[in-house]
C-alpha cells in the first residue's frame, strides 16, 4: 500500500501530519511533522509505513479542501532552517543536454564539444554502474537552506537583480541523516527547481549564481520507490491562458544516471552526513520553457503535474523589491 505524507495546518493553526493511502487521508497520531515521524522510524528501526501504523491514525482529512484553503505546507521542513540543505544535479536525463547545449550554442559552433555535452556523455557512458561499482560523478549545485524551500501555491520569489526566473520540473529526493550519519531516504516529491537561465547562458561558470534561487515542493512525499518511468506535464499560466505547455519524463528509465549513483556522489561528502540534517536533492530535468524562448513575468503561475503523484504543484512568480546591502567593518 503506497504511503504519501502531507503536512498541513489545521483550521485553528496547529501543525498536523497526514498519511494518505488508497484507503484515504488521515491525521497521524502523536507527531506533527514528517521530520518527527522519520526520526521515530529511524529510532525504532522500522519503515515509515510501519511507524505510521504504530502511531495510529485519527480523523480523516480532505486534502483538496486544505489545499484550496491554503493550509497545505511544504511536505518537509526542519525546526532550524539552517539544517535543511537544498541541492541538485543536472544533465542526468536522456536528452537533457539538448536544452543546455542551446544555451551554449556559441561554444558548440566552435566545433568543440561544450562542457555540458562532455559531462552528459560521461553520464550516458558510466552513470549507471554495475552493482558494487562507482559511476561517474554528475554535475552538482547548491541552492540554499530551508529558507529557500517553499510549498504549494507559495510564490517563487526572484531577486531584484535576476535576469530571468524559469521553471525546471523535477523529481526531488527527501532525506534525513540518522544519529550515526546514515542517510535515510524518506521519499520523493515533485519539485520546481527554479533558476535564472539568462545568467547561466552568458557564462557557464555563473551556473552557481543562477541556482541560488528558491525551489518549491509539491503537496506530498511519495514513500518507497519512485516508478522507473514518470510522465508529467509542465505549463505556465498567464491569467487564464496557458502560454506554454510541454510534457516531461523522469524516472531511471529516462535517465543517464541511476539514483544510487547520484545519491552516492552527494552523500560521499561527510559534510552532508551531519546527524539530524535534512536534504532535498533535485535530480534534474530535460524540459524547460526557457529553451523554447519563453520569457516569464511577475504573476505567471508555474504548474507541474506527474502521474506518480496525486496532486500537482502550482507557484506564482514574483520579484522581490531591491534591497541595498552594505558591509560594515567591525
Amino acid at each position: 500500500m503506497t504511503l504519501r505524507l502531507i503536512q498541513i495546518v489545521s483550521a485553528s493553526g496547529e501543525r498536523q501530519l497526514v498519511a494518505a493511502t488508497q484507503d484515504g487521508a488521515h491525521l497521524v497520531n502523536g507527531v506533527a511533522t514528517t521530520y518527527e515521524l522519520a526520526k521515530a522510524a529511524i529510532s525504532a528501526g522500522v519503515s515509515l509505513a510501519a511507524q505510521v501504523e504504530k502511531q495510529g491514525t485519527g480523523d480523516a482529512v480532505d486534502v483538496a479542501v486544505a489545499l484550496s484553503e491554503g493550509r497545505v505546507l511544504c511536505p518537509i521542513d526542519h525546526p532550524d532552517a539552517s539544517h535543511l540543505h537544498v541541492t541538485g544535479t543536472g544533465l542526468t536525463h536522456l536528452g537533457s543536454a539538448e536544452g543546455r547545449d542551446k544555451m551554449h550554442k556559441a561554444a558548440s559552433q566552435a566545433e568543440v564539444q561544450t562542457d555540458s555535452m562532455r559531462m552528459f556523455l560521461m553520464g550516458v557512458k558510466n552513470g549507471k554502474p554495475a552493482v558494487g561499482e562507482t559511476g561517474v560523478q554528475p554535475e552538482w549545485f547548491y541552492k540554499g537552506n530551508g529558507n529557500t524551500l517553499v510549498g504549494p501555491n507559495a510564490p517563487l520569489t526572484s531577486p531584484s537583480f535576476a535576469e530571468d526566473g524559469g521553471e525546471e520540473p523535477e523529481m526531488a529526493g527527501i532525506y534525513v541523516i540518522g544519529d550515526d550519519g546514515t542517510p535515510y531516504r524518506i521519499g520523493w516529491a515533485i519539485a520546481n527547481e527554479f533558476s535564472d537561465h539568462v545568467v547561466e547562458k552568458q557564462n557557464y561558470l555563473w551556473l552557481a549564481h543562477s541556482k541560488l534561487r528558491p525551489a518549491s515542493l509539491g503537496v506530498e512525499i511519495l514513500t518507497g520507490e519512485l516508478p522507473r518511468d514518470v510522465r508529467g506535464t509542465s505549463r505556465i499560466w498567464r491569467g487564464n491562458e496557458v502560454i506554454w505547455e510541454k510534457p516531461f519524463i523522469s524516472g531511471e528509465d529516462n535517465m543517464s544516471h541511476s539514483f544510487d549513483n547520484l545519491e552516492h556522489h552527494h552523500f560521499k561528502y561527510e559534510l552532508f552526513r551531519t546527524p539530524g540534517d535534512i536534504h532535498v536533492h533535485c535530480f534534474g530535468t530535460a524540459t524547460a520553457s526557457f529553451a523554447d524562448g519563453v520569457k516569464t513575468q511577475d504573476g505567471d503561475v508555474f504548474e507541474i503535474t506527474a502521474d506518480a503523484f496525486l496532486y500537482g504543484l502550482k507557484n506564482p512568480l514574483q520579484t522581490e523589491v531591491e534591497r541595498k546591502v552594505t558591509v560594515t567593518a567591525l
Side-chain angles (χ1 to χ4, degrees):
M1 184 175 291
T2 303
L3 172 66
R4 303 167 191 271
L5 299 174
I6 301 166
Q7 296 194 134
I8 67 170
V9 175
S10 71
S12 60
E14 296 176 318
R15 291 285 302 266
Q16 297 175 318
L17 180 63
V18 177
T21 66
Q22 290 89 327
D23 294 332
H26 295 82
L27 297 178
V28 181
N29 297 330
V31 293
T33 68
T34 302
Y35 184 57
E36 290 176 7
L37 179 70
K39 290 202 301 180
I42 293 169
S43 179
V46 300
S47 68
L48 291 166
Q51 188 62 37
V52 168
E53 186 175 356
K54 180 180 178 181
Q55 300 277 153
T57 55
D59 293 344
V61 176
D62 190 326
V63 177
V65 169
L67 188 60
S68 69
E69 293 175 348
R71 295 191 289 109
V72 174
L73 305 172
C74 188
I76 188 69
D77 58 352
H78 194 287
D80 180 348
S82 66
H83 285 281
L84 189 157
H85 309 278
V86 185
T87 55
T89 189
L91 301 173
T92 54
H93 284 61
L94 299 171
S96 64
E98 179 185 356
R100 184 69 64 82
D101 227 43
K102 283 182 182 178
M103 294 164 59
H104 308 140
K105 190 174 181 181
S108 126
Q109 287 177 338
E111 298 183 359
V112 176
Q113 280 185 348
T114 63
D115 287 341
S116 293
M117 184 59 75
R118 284 196 294 271
M119 183 168 287
F120 173 74
L121 293 175
M122 289 167 67
V124 171
K125 182 178 180 180
N126 193 24
K128 293 182 175 179
V131 176
E133 297 182 4
T134 299
V136 67
Q137 62 186 357
E139 173 193 60
W140 182 96
F141 54 83
Y142 172 75
K143 285 193 68 69
N145 60 22
N147 295 308
T148 301
L149 206 57
V150 301
N153 298 324
L156 282 168
T157 304
S158 190
S160 60
F161 53 80
E163 298 185 48
D164 173 56
E167 86 301 329
E168 293 195 19
E170 307 192 10
M171 300 295 104
I174 316 297
Y175 308 85
V176 64
I177 310 302
D179 290 343
D180 62 353
T182 299
Y184 290 87
R185 188 196 310 123
I186 298 174
W188 314 84
I190 294 176
N192 188 338
E193 197 271 288
F194 184 67
S195 303
D196 188 335
H197 301 99
V198 171
V199 164
E200 181 189 340
K201 179 181 178 181
Q202 295 175 58
N203 190 314
Y204 187 69
L205 296 178
W206 283 346
L207 174 72
H209 290 278
S210 76
K211 296 298 187 181
L212 288 173
R213 301 290 188 271
S216 61
L217 292 182
V219 172
E220 75 222 75
I221 294 177
L222 173 66
T223 65
E225 296 302 319
L226 185 73
R228 294 189 62 87
D229 181 25
V230 176
R231 304 284 169 140
T233 302
S234 180
R235 57 180 62 91
I236 300 174
W237 292 84
R238 184 166 294 164
N240 295 322
E241 179 186 359
V242 175
I243 64 166
W244 178 86
E245 180 175 342
K246 204 165 190 177
F248 72 91
I249 55 177
S250 191
E252 281 197 9
D253 285 353
N254 304 303
M255 296 172 65
S256 52
H257 286 261
S258 65
F259 287 121
D260 284 347
N261 190 53
L262 298 174
E263 290 172 339
H264 164 76
H265 285 295
H266 180 70
F267 291 112
K268 67 184 181 183
Y269 296 101
E270 188 174 356
L271 173 66
F272 298 149
R273 301 195 305 273
T274 301
D277 281 3
I278 291 172
H279 289 256
V280 174
H281 194 68
C282 300
F283 284 110
T285 187
T287 305
S289 64
F290 179 82
D292 292 336
V294 174
K295 177 64 176 176
T296 59
Q297 63 186 41
D298 277 17
D300 287 351
V301 175
F302 303 110
E303 181 182 19
I304 302 170
T305 58
D307 55 8
F309 297 87
L310 296 178
Y311 305 95
L313 171 62
K314 285 186 176 182
N315 300 98
L317 170 62
Q318 71 176 29
T319 302
E320 67 181 4
V321 176
E322 182 178 2
R323 291 179 289 180
K324 297 294 185 181
V325 177
T326 302
V327 175
T328 302
L330 294 177

